Amino acid sequence: MNRRTFLATSTFVVSAFSEPVTRWLVNPTEPLSPPSGRITVDRSHIQELREAADSARLWDSRFGGATWKSRSLTAYLYERVTPLLDGRYSEHDGRDLFSVTAEMARLAGWTAFDAGHHQVAQRHFIQALRLAKAGSDAHLGSYVLSTMAMQALMRGFASQAIDMAQGAYERVPTADPRVLGFAKLIEARAHARLRDARAAASCLATAERLQERGAAEGVGERPWIEFFSRQRIVTDATEIFRDLGHPRATFSWHALGSMPGDAYARSRGIRLSVLATAHAQSGELEHSLRLGGESLRLFARLQSIRGLDYLKIYTESLTPWRREPVVVAYLKDVRELAGQLAVAA
């Protein structure tokens, strides 16, 4: 496959993260600036923003980041939320306002990332980290930093992703165990991309322990980290062992959790592509192509640029059969989807 076709969207610049990440690591919280605006912010505003964030999160999971509703989140942030940040509020309401706005900025970055707008995603993530700091929400700041690490990883900067994930984990040792577990999970994935099996396994085991601890403590006041469940561990573990070239371990982990359903269509497409790659690694072309075809159809429906990253990994696993007619046809379908998404972007 032509790598240019897969990367025909805005460029990711990993160095853009350096300064904001360093500032957060030096101090993840700060005093709240005295409010001076004309709008008075109260709990009804906070509740509205939380409901908007919940709705955007669910929509993104089901339909992807390239849809109109996901893209409208950016407009909502600028048109509705920004005036509130300039308003008047109590310290408690101000902290909550900055935190929920940071959460929404992270979501806007995530949808832009999924749509292939990587520089836009970076700007949103940087703003989310800054807002979390302004809200003195170190838990959320750590989570945002782990998300930034994931973007760096997916764009091919595994070493930088490890540094950011380690920072997210070590800077706030008393954070929600689910937040810390997610940081370790992203670090495990980055080590796997670098083919460091020992480090990947160690981080994965730590992520498992933290997820179990978080589950035992019960649901808290952070709905944005509730996705970090046993199912999420299983999903990412399949990717870790795919990247390490251990298909049998990939299948074993897959058997520990059900395939994501329609409410998580993008996650389903990702899992299918991972399993397709593992079957190709095992020399099972027919089964591999069947799963790869399902994954391709899902990503086409979702219009997910990020899905193309997974399809690229899968197509590379088809190299031994690149002259087979069925493989030639499949690669043609992937190229056509990549071209369509590049035009749409």
Side-chain angles (χ1 to χ4, degrees):
M1 297 300 297
N2 187 336
R3 183 171 175 81
R4 278 189 167 184
T5 304
F6 282 91
L7 302 180
T9 52
S10 56
T11 304
F12 173 84
V13 183
V14 72
S15 60
F17 283 156
S18 298
E19 183 176 344
V21 168
T22 299
R23 287 182 175 179
W24 185 87
L25 290 172
V26 169
N27 189 359
T29 63
E30 68 182 18
L32 189 66
S33 300
S36 58
R38 290 179 295 177
I39 300 174
T40 300
V41 178
D42 58 28
R43 299 312 296 178
S44 66
H45 293 104
I46 306 299
Q47 185 59 33
E48 175 197 334
L49 299 187
R50 284 178 173 162
E51 290 179 5
D54 290 342
S55 176
R57 190 184 305 107
L58 291 172
W59 182 276
D60 172 68
S61 294
R62 186 164 190 174
F63 300 109
T67 58
W68 67 269
K69 188 168 183 178
S70 293
R71 293 196 303 270
S72 69
L73 182 58
T74 298
Y76 183 83
L77 276 167
Y78 283 112
E79 295 170 11
R80 175 58 174 157
V81 183
T82 299
L84 297 179
L85 295 176
D86 292 329
R88 301 180 66 84
Y89 37 74
S90 67
E91 181 167 353
H92 178 258
D93 288 345
R95 297 291 186 196
D96 285 351
L97 173 63
F98 277 94
S99 290
V100 71
T101 305
E103 181 186 347
M104 296 180 74
R106 193 210 70 85
L107 278 167
W110 187 251
T111 57
F113 174 32
D114 191 55
H117 303 147
H118 299 296
Q119 287 185 354
V120 175
Q122 284 189 276
R123 289 196 293 271
H124 280 304
F125 289 148
I126 290 168
Q127 188 64 25
L129 193 66
R130 177 70 182 85
L131 288 162
K133 181 174 182 176
S136 288
D137 194 336
H139 303 266
L140 183 56
S142 176
Y143 174 50
V144 171
L145 183 51
S146 294
T147 306
M148 295 162 73
M150 186 173 178
Q151 186 190 21
L153 170 63
M154 295 295 290
R155 301 320 299 157
F157 297 91
S159 295
Q160 290 87 341
I162 290 170
D163 291 341
M164 285 190 280
Q166 288 177 343
Y169 177 81
E170 295 171 3
R171 184 61 182 86
V172 193
T174 58
D176 187 313
R178 297 168 298 175
V179 172
L180 298 177
F182 182 65
K184 276 297 171 184
L185 191 61
I186 299 305
E187 184 184 348
R189 289 180 55 174
H191 284 303
R193 285 289 176 94
L194 295 175
R195 296 300 183 97
D196 188 339
R198 178 176 296 182
S202 175
C203 290
L204 178 58
T206 301
E208 285 187 272
R209 289 194 297 271
L210 288 164
Q211 187 277 318
E212 291 169 359
R213 203 178 102 200
E217 291 179 3
V219 177
E221 300 178 354
R222 302 181 183 93
W224 40 264
I225 196 61
E226 289 176 7
F227 74 91
F228 188 67
S229 61
R230 178 63 182 171
Q231 178 67 35
R232 178 58 191 255
I233 294 282
V234 168
T235 295
D236 283 37
T238 62
E239 292 193 46
I240 287 168
F241 288 101
R242 174 207 62 186
D243 290 342
L244 291 172
H246 299 328
R248 293 177 67 178
T250 298
F251 299 141
S252 295
W253 274 97
H254 170 66
L256 296 176
S258 59
M259 180 72 77
D262 290 340
Y264 301 95
R266 182 175 55 210
S267 295
R268 183 180 180 87
I270 288 172
R271 179 78 74 86
L272 286 166
S273 75
V274 170
L275 291 174
T277 303
H279 280 288
Q281 290 171 341
S282 296
E284 302 166 356
L285 178 61
E286 183 177 353
H287 197 177
S288 172
L289 281 174
R290 180 176 65 78
L291 296 172
E294 289 184 52
S295 179
L296 174 60
R297 287 188 290 274
L298 262 178
F299 287 137
R301 176 170 69 81
L302 293 171
Q303 297 291 285
S304 173
I305 291 286
R306 187 158 64 97
L308 292 176
D309 290 329
Y310 285 89
L311 292 177
K312 177 183 181 295
I313 293 171
Y314 172 53
T315 58
E316 289 174 347
S317 73
L318 295 174
T319 299
W321 304 279
R322 63 185 179 277
R323 299 187 187 281
E324 294 287 336
V326 288
V327 173
V328 171
Y330 181 82
L331 296 178
K332 179 176 180 292
D333 291 341
V334 174
R335 282 195 298 271
E336 288 178 355
L337 174 61
Q340 293 168 10
L341 295 183
V343 171

